[in-house]
Amino acid sequence: MSRRFKQKTRGNASKRKRSTVFIAAEGHNRTERNYFKGFIARHKNLALRMVPDSSTDPVRMAESLGDFMEESGFSSLDGDLAFCLIDHDCNPAKDDQIRQALKIAQDRGFHIILSNPCFELWFICHFTSTPKNYASSKEVLKDIIHYLPGYGKSDEDLFMRTESHLPEAIENAKKLEKRCLESGYTLPGYGFSPSTEVYRMTELMIVVNSR
C-alpha cells in the first residue's frame, strides 16, 4: 500500500516563500551536491535539501527520498520539487530496479531522473550533442576533462564553470534523447544511452523559480 503524505503550506500565503528542491543522488553525491548548490545560489526563490543517504540502489534511494519528503514537510502547493537522480551505468541488471523506483516515484509524488551512463554526462552536454557511445561511467569521467580541465568531484564551482552553456546543455540533452528514441530504444532500458534527463529537472526548477 503506498503512503501519501499531507500537503502543508508554509506561512502567510500572501508572502512569497522559497520553494524547496529535494534531491536524492547516489553515494556521497559530492558532484551533484556542488552543482545544484551553485544552481540554487543563482535562483533565489529556491532552497536545496539533499537526502542524507549514501545508497546507490535505485529502490533504496527512491524510498529514502519519499521518507525524507514526508519528514521535511514537502508541499507541492508551495512549489516544492523532488528528484531522484539515478545513474544507469549501462547496466542491464539495473532495469528492473529502476522500474521499481519509477513506481515508488509515481506513488509518492516525485521525479526519477535517469542518466546513462552517469550524471557527469550532463556536463559534457554543455559542450557537444554528439558525445561518444560510452560503455561505462569511467569512460565519461575520463572524457570530461577534455571539456572541463581540472574537473574533480569535489569542485565547488561546477555550476559557475558551466552556467553560460546551460541553454546548449538542455538542447543537447534533448537531442540525445531524441536520437535514442529514433533508434528504437525505450526507458528505462540500458540501451538508452548516452542520455541524461537532468535537463528536465533544470527546466522545472527554472519555471518554479520564476513564479
Side-chain angles (χ1 to χ4, degrees):
M1 181 177 178
S2 63
R3 290 175 292 172
R4 284 281 183 178
F5 41 82
K6 295 180 180 179
Q7 296 289 351
K8 302 176 182 178
T9 54
R10 297 187 293 266
N12 190 329
S14 64
K15 186 179 179 180
R16 180 70 166 87
K17 293 290 184 179
R18 291 198 296 172
S19 299
T20 301
V21 180
F22 295 79
I23 297 177
E26 294 190 1
H28 297 292
N29 59 61
R30 287 177 298 172
T31 305
E32 294 88 342
R33 181 186 298 274
N34 288 336
Y35 177 77
F36 288 110
K37 187 176 179 181
F39 185 101
I40 295 298
R42 292 288 197 183
H43 296 80
K44 301 300 185 181
N45 291 324
L46 302 177
L48 177 65
R49 297 291 302 275
M50 297 292 296
V51 176
D53 189 302
S54 60
S55 177
T56 59
D57 174 81
V59 177
R60 174 59 188 162
M61 289 172 63
E63 291 174 340
S64 294
L65 175 55
D67 292 344
F68 189 63
M69 290 162 63
E70 185 173 356
E71 294 163 2
S72 303
F74 174 91
S75 173
S76 60
L77 297 177
D78 287 324
D80 291 348
L81 298 168
F83 305 96
C84 183
L85 279 58
I86 298 175
D87 292 347
H88 204 305
D89 300 313
C90 299
N91 183 359
K94 275 194 169 183
D95 286 3
D96 187 58
Q97 295 174 331
I98 292 172
R99 290 190 185 94
Q100 293 180 58
L102 285 165
K103 179 62 168 61
I104 295 170
Q106 183 179 24
D107 288 345
R108 305 192 69 174
F110 60 85
H111 304 271
I112 296 292
I113 301 296
L114 299 175
S115 293
N116 200 6
C118 58
F119 174 80
E120 285 80 3
L121 178 65
W122 171 244
F123 298 134
I124 293 178
C125 284
H126 286 70
F127 305 98
T128 180
S129 63
T130 56
K132 300 174 183 176
N133 288 320
Y134 303 107
S136 68
S137 298
K138 288 182 179 180
E139 291 186 5
V140 175
L141 296 176
K142 183 179 179 180
D143 203 32
I144 198 172
I145 59 173
H146 297 302
Y147 302 97
L148 289 173
Y151 167 81
K153 284 182 172 291
S154 59
D155 189 341
E156 295 184 354
D157 298 320
L158 285 169
F159 182 74
M160 184 180 70
R161 294 180 66 188
T162 58
E163 180 181 10
S164 63
H165 296 284
L166 182 58
E168 294 99 301
I170 291 172
E171 291 308 309
N172 288 338
K174 289 179 179 179
K175 289 177 183 178
L176 291 181
E177 185 176 87
K178 182 179 179 182
R179 199 171 300 148
C180 288
L181 290 170
E182 290 176 344
S183 297
Y185 295 108
T186 58
L187 287 170
Y190 72 95
F192 205 94
S193 176
S195 67
T196 178
E197 295 184 307
V198 177
Y199 79 87
R200 296 180 184 274
M201 65 185 294
T202 57
E203 287 187 320
L204 280 171
M205 288 189 290
I206 289 169
V207 168
V208 170
N209 180 72
S210 65
R211 289 176 181 170

